[in-house]
Amino acid sequence: MHVMSQKPAVPLVHIETFGCQMNEYDSELVRSLLKREGFQFTEDRECADVILMNTCAIRENAHNKVFTHLSDLRSVKKHRPLVVGVLGCMAQNLKAELPEKEPIVDVLAGPDSYRQLPQLITNAMTLQEQGVDQKRLAVELSEYETYDDIVPERNDGVNAWIAIMRGCDNFCSFCVVPYTRGRERSRNPKGILEEARLCAEQGFKQVTLLGQNVNSYSYDTWDFARLLLEVADVPGLERVRFTSPHPKDFPVDLLKAVSSHPNICKHIHLPVQSGNDRVLEMMNRTYTCSEYLSLVDRIRTMNTQIALTTDIIAGFCSETDEEFSDTIRLVETVRFHSAFIFKYSERKNTIAARKYRDDVPEAVKSERVTALVDLQRKISFDRNREYVGSVVNVLVEGNSKRSSDQGMGKTDGNITAVWEKNGTSVRPGDMVPLSIYDSSASTLYGIAQPQPSSP
């Protein structure tokens, strides 16, 4: 007797997340919203009835990864029923052409439309069973959506992301975020603090506050400095980070908060993008190179222990060799602890795509990226050598990539540190003092110091 395999009564969903930390957080929101409606999740996409890709539109590389994954799913979908959904920024930015370019996509949902996902997926599954090929789209931007009432479904770990705002009003000419995530709106601080307290109760030792421009957070009488201090005082949290601020508005109260509160990490990610004033103006960054350097001086005058990291774009429209040299000189002047360095890639619907020609040859862009990476690697190596001979506190994240006999964690300044366990028992979330004896451009190597025993 032939027994037909039974399709599970509850749809199994697999989520793949691409891009930034905000997308990681949004995937946690999506899990929560779908679980409310009875969906279950699997890490094995071969078992999934629904595969959702939470996408990024910022970098070309992220785009290419998504298209590669969609291409892989074509053959899967030929052999079994499968609902494929594209979520997030790419869904929003390519809402017109993506369904045409990739017919296997059944569901499209932008960052403000996740509440509609349960119904979109259910409808798509019903239509698929009926043999009807009809896309389900929800890509309207909202002026109000903050998902403030949704508790994210987090995986266990050391760090928890908390989005304090959504959208962006900066309109940097190279950036697609205002068009994919809408205008800036801040969450109610009450909800943020409640979420931080819940994270502490769940065992997270660190939270990272997220926003496209966190220092423009504003809700009634609350600014970002006040919010940051309140979160840092939540019992059970040992570290608070934030990303990313914008150099255009960095109030002194925020600097004081970072400098003075023991639970606020001494690390500021301060994207500069370029070291040339003409290019900065074309990028609509609204600050000059000298203003950026003045801010760096203020930060370091207030606290010399603050580690600075940055983002840089090489090969922006019409950037000359001499203008690129200005960026090299700025990096040599500031001496960042580390930097994310990218080739400029034109993004659809941005101001730069409409106003400027992407005219720097790819080979030149690659040469400039290589020059910056080589320079920054040398600076990072020298910066990390400064820690040799000192003791730093490291928040344990787990085992090192190289060996389960080694522990791995992050310093207050967000630098990776590794040490030999030597039979000692440390768990993720523990704070371990390390005596640093060596370093590379990316890692500190230490010896775990004896910790005082509990009375």
Side-chain angles (χ1 to χ4, degrees):
M1 178 179 173
H2 178 67
V3 179
M4 293 183 64
S5 60
Q6 293 295 309
K7 186 176 179 180
V10 177
L12 284 176
V13 181
H14 175 74
I15 299 184
E16 300 174 356
T17 306
F18 303 82
C20 67
Q21 299 97 329
M22 188 67 83
N23 277 13
E24 296 284 351
Y25 182 82
D26 279 0
S27 289
E28 294 169 350
L29 290 176
V30 168
R31 277 201 296 270
S32 182
L33 285 161
L34 291 178
K35 276 196 172 183
R36 282 184 178 185
E37 301 300 321
F39 290 84
Q40 292 184 3
F41 290 83
T42 177
E43 293 299 313
D44 183 2
R45 78 179 196 170
E46 301 303 317
C47 300
D49 304 292
V50 181
I51 294 180
L52 302 177
M53 298 184 186
N54 191 2
T55 62
C56 172
I58 302 297
R59 308 287 175 207
E60 189 170 6
N61 188 41
H63 261 207
N64 294 340
K65 280 184 181 178
V66 172
F67 281 121
T68 299
H69 280 238
L70 287 172
S71 179
D72 292 344
L73 290 178
R74 285 181 203 149
S75 59
V76 177
K77 201 163 179 177
K78 286 178 183 176
H79 295 97
R80 66 180 179 88
L82 178 67
V83 168
V84 176
V86 175
L87 318 180
C89 293
M90 194 169 162
Q92 192 72 46
N93 201 39
L94 302 181
K95 57 190 174 187
E97 55 263 57
L98 190 59
E100 296 295 325
K101 190 170 182 178
E102 289 293 346
I104 69 162
V105 175
D106 304 293
V107 171
L108 232 63
D112 290 346
S113 305
Y114 297 144
R115 292 182 192 272
Q116 299 178 53
L117 267 177
Q119 194 60 53
L120 291 173
I121 293 169
T122 300
N123 291 346
M125 294 182 79
T126 301
L127 289 170
Q128 197 168 87
E129 289 171 2
Q130 296 170 352
V132 178
D133 182 16
Q134 185 176 336
K135 312 302 177 192
R136 318 304 296 173
L137 277 65
V139 286
E140 296 301 315
L141 291 176
S142 169
E143 295 180 22
Y144 312 105
E145 181 62 85
T146 62
Y147 300 106
D148 206 39
D149 59 322
I150 308 299
V151 177
E153 182 73 25
R154 295 183 170 92
N155 293 324
D156 292 338
V158 172
N159 176 76
W161 310 109
I162 300 180
I164 65 168
M165 58 201 302
R166 300 184 74 85
C168 185
D169 287 348
N170 289 331
F171 288 93
C172 300
S173 67
F174 55 80
C175 185
V176 75
V177 167
Y179 311 99
T180 60
R181 288 188 170 272
R183 302 306 295 269
E184 197 172 86
R185 61 267 191 204
S186 298
R187 284 181 58 189
N188 188 320
K190 182 179 178 182
I192 296 169
L193 290 168
E194 185 56 40
E195 193 170 334
R197 283 189 283 269
L198 181 60
C199 289
E201 289 170 8
Q202 292 172 336
F204 292 96
K205 297 298 183 181
Q206 174 179 286
V207 297
T208 303
L209 306 183
L210 297 176
Q212 304 307 139
N213 178 20
V214 289
N215 43 350
S216 65
Y217 174 88
S218 178
Y219 193 99
D220 292 338
T221 61
W222 289 69
D223 61 6
F224 183 54
R226 180 181 174 187
L227 177 69
L228 187 62
L229 288 167
E230 291 283 348
V231 172
D233 283 337
V234 169
L237 294 182
E238 297 191 33
R239 284 184 175 174
V240 178
R241 299 190 185 277
F242 60 91
T243 192
S244 290
H246 193 294
K248 73 184 175 79
D249 51 0
F250 218 110
V252 68
D253 284 350
L254 179 53
L255 288 179
K256 288 179 180 176
V258 175
S259 178
S260 63
H261 199 293
N263 289 2
I264 300 174
C265 290
K266 306 301 175 273
H267 167 228
I268 296 175
H269 186 69
L270 198 62
V272 65
Q273 308 299 2
S274 172
N276 176 265
D277 285 348
R278 186 188 75 88
V279 175
L280 286 172
E281 185 174 3
M282 288 179 67
M283 289 178 168
N284 194 33
R285 291 294 287 173
T286 67
Y287 54 82
T288 64
C289 184
S290 64
E291 288 168 340
Y292 183 92
L293 291 173
S294 294
L295 174 56
V296 169
D297 286 342
R298 285 201 303 277
I299 292 170
R300 288 181 170 160
T301 298
M302 191 160 286
N303 191 319
T304 58
Q305 300 304 308
I306 292 175
L308 289 179
T309 57
T310 198
D311 296 336
I312 303 172
I313 295 173
F316 187 70
C317 308
S318 76
E319 180 186 63
T320 66
D321 288 342
E322 182 54 41
E323 287 168 338
F324 173 69
S325 296
D326 289 341
T327 300
I328 290 283
R329 282 188 285 271
L330 182 138
V331 172
E332 290 172 334
T333 299
V334 177
R335 298 179 60 77
F336 299 101
H337 280 74
S338 65
F340 295 101
I341 299 164
F342 306 95
K343 284 193 292 187
Y344 172 68
S345 59
E346 184 177 276
R347 309 320 297 150
K348 184 179 175 62
N349 296 325
T350 59
I351 296 169
R354 297 195 298 268
K355 288 182 65 176
Y356 309 128
R357 285 180 57 233
D358 182 10
D359 55 359
V360 177
E362 283 299 309
V364 174
K365 290 180 184 178
S366 296
E367 287 172 6
R368 291 176 183 175
V369 166
T370 299
L372 279 169
V373 167
D374 289 346
L375 172 61
Q376 183 57 54
R377 187 179 292 117
K378 292 173 185 173
I379 294 171
S380 296
F381 179 83
D382 291 342
R383 280 288 191 192
N384 285 349
R385 295 302 294 175
E386 296 170 7
Y387 292 94
V388 174
S390 66
V391 175
V392 298
N393 286 325
V394 171
L395 184 62
V396 179
E397 293 189 357
N399 296 330
S400 77
K401 293 178 181 177
R402 185 169 298 176
S403 170
S404 59
D405 293 328
Q406 293 178 326
M408 185 277 292
K410 296 283 187 176
T411 70
D412 188 81
N414 208 34
I415 303 168
T416 298
V418 169
W419 66 97
E420 297 292 335
K421 293 181 184 177
N422 293 325
T424 59
S425 175
V426 292
R427 297 165 299 175
D430 287 349
M431 196 74 76
V432 175
L434 293 187
S435 177
I436 305 302
Y437 67 87
D438 198 5
S439 66
S440 68
S442 60
T443 308
L444 304 178
Y445 300 96
I447 299 171
Q449 297 297 291
Q451 300 185 58
S453 56
S454 300

